[in-house]
Amino acid sequence: MFTEIAIVVFLTLLNGLLAMSELAVVSSRPVRLKILADQGSRGAATAIALAQDPGRFLSTVQIGITLVGVLSGAFSGATLGARLSGWLVEQGLSASMANGLGVGSVVVAITYLSLIVGELVPKQIALRAPEAVAAKVAPGMKLLSRVALPLVILLNGSGKLVLALLGQSGSSDEKITDEEVRTVIAEAHSAGVIEAEEQEMISGVMRLADRTARGLMTPRRDVEVIDLEDDPAEIREQLRHTQRSRLPLRKGSSDEIVGVVVVKDALDGLLEGRPVDIEALAREAPVVSDRTSALTVIEKLRRAPARMVLVYDEYGHFEGIVSSGDVLEAITGVFEDEETGEPAIIEREDGSYLVSGWMPIDEFAHAVGLGLDKEPDYETVAGLVIDTLRHLPSLGENFAVGGFHFEVVDMDGRRVDKLIVRKLPS
């Protein structure tokens, strides 16, 4: 009897090992397995190979689990159940009652053991450290797959045939989405792996790739420009008092930027008392369309002698500039202006938000949790207002979109300056 009990316990443990192997390999993250494999783990490399052919791997596991189940059922009912029934008869019970009680008790006991030792505990172990478990069990699963190769081929082929009849290719889309990456980052922050500031900057980098030159640029109205037709004394005063390190050059009211001057180059001559030809000091700046992707703009910015990119629209009108500071703000968030001290967004005591119209729409959506189209036709909160209303708003005009209520509370001429944004009740 002890031999039969030992066999049942062994089969239960084997079932648990198979269940743990299945869940560990399926739930392992390929990136982590790749890291372990690069560090010399042969088991991780084997686990990657198993995961790349899930049909064959699952067929192997199912063969093992089914075989264990059949053997365990045979021993529990025919052997242990019969022995317990015979013992109960010796104790004075009737044959029918002893048979039912003996077999039933053994089935219940083995079922309970199978659920705990053969399923729940192994699967919890696999979920806690899937990559480590997968690396350890993968060689054994590969060996089992070779031993049961004919049955594995039969089951795998049959499974693919049924999938084809159901209109499924049998392949899955394993591409990682932006939302999944953000979820992983949020989990890392919750676990204390990264700081809140690091999380925000990583999110900023992800948003940066979705922007265009228009979403990165400092708009034309905020760009300080040197007019070459101004009096030289006026130009010298502008150079002395500017807070910028580089300034675009233009001639009169022309929309054409003729170059970019590095302020230090001009000040060196002024401090030495030499006459300075500003136009001669001009450096070339590349020109991009306002719809150019942010990554392309950054690549051009890296190669630009003036460390500045000029942005023009499809009609050839100058729209703004992109500097390294604009790229940094896209990652870390907009810096407050020292003169105005105007933040992009302020959360008020009642839970509403005071929002500047110039705030980038992706940063605003991230801050308040607003869902947006994949590629909106606007770059700022003001653009969202105009795109929704389809006209230039008037003071006090309001509307609702995406579960939020927007109210225009300040206009700067024809520019949407300030809004109050409230989240609507569910």
Side-chain angles (χ1 to χ4, degrees), residues 118-309:
E119 292 288 341
L120 295 180
V121 172
K123 287 183 176 181
Q124 289 185 25
I125 294 174
L127 287 175
R128 290 180 180 180
E131 292 80 18
V133 173
K136 292 180 180 179
V137 301
M141 297 306 301
K142 183 177 181 180
L143 178 61
L144 179 60
S145 177
R146 289 178 178 177
V147 172
L149 185 60
L151 286 176
V152 169
I153 294 176
L154 175 63
L155 292 180
N156 190 26
S158 301
K160 289 182 178 179
L161 178 60
V162 174
L163 285 172
L165 293 175
L166 294 174
Q168 302 291 326
S169 65
S171 60
S172 59
D173 186 5
E174 296 182 351
K175 293 181 179 179
I176 298 178
T177 64
D178 287 351
E179 289 304 319
E180 289 174 332
V181 174
R182 290 190 178 96
T183 300
V184 172
I185 295 172
E187 290 176 354
H189 170 57
S190 300
V193 177
I194 62 175
E195 301 294 336
E197 293 78 7
E198 293 175 313
Q199 179 187 8
E200 287 300 320
M201 283 191 285
I202 294 173
S203 299
V205 172
M206 294 180 61
R207 293 194 302 268
L208 175 65
D210 297 329
R211 289 192 183 185
T212 62
R214 179 172 289 276
L216 277 181
M217 72 181 187
T218 299
R220 174 179 177 174
R221 60 180 175 78
D222 294 329
V223 176
E224 183 179 353
V225 179
I226 293 179
D227 189 346
L228 294 175
E229 294 185 359
D230 285 347
D231 185 85
E234 294 180 5
I235 295 178
R236 285 196 298 271
E237 285 301 310
Q238 184 177 359
L239 290 171
R240 286 194 183 97
H241 294 95
T242 184
Q243 301 295 316
R244 313 291 182 183
S245 61
R246 292 170 175 80
L247 295 176
L249 304 177
R250 75 177 179 193
K251 291 185 177 180
S253 59
S254 171
D255 219 15
E256 187 69 25
I257 301 298
V258 298
V260 176
V261 64
V262 177
V263 174
K264 183 180 180 301
D265 293 344
L267 287 178
D268 287 343
L270 293 176
L271 292 174
E272 294 173 4
R274 294 183 286 104
V276 176
D277 185 353
I278 297 296
E279 190 170 2
L281 295 175
R283 301 185 185 186
E284 185 180 355
V287 175
V288 298
S289 164
D290 59 345
R291 306 308 300 175
T292 302
S293 70
L295 297 181
T296 302
V297 172
I298 293 173
E299 185 61 30
K300 289 184 175 294
L301 183 62
R302 292 173 57 190
R303 300 178 181 179
R307 298 293 184 266
M308 183 179 289
V309 173

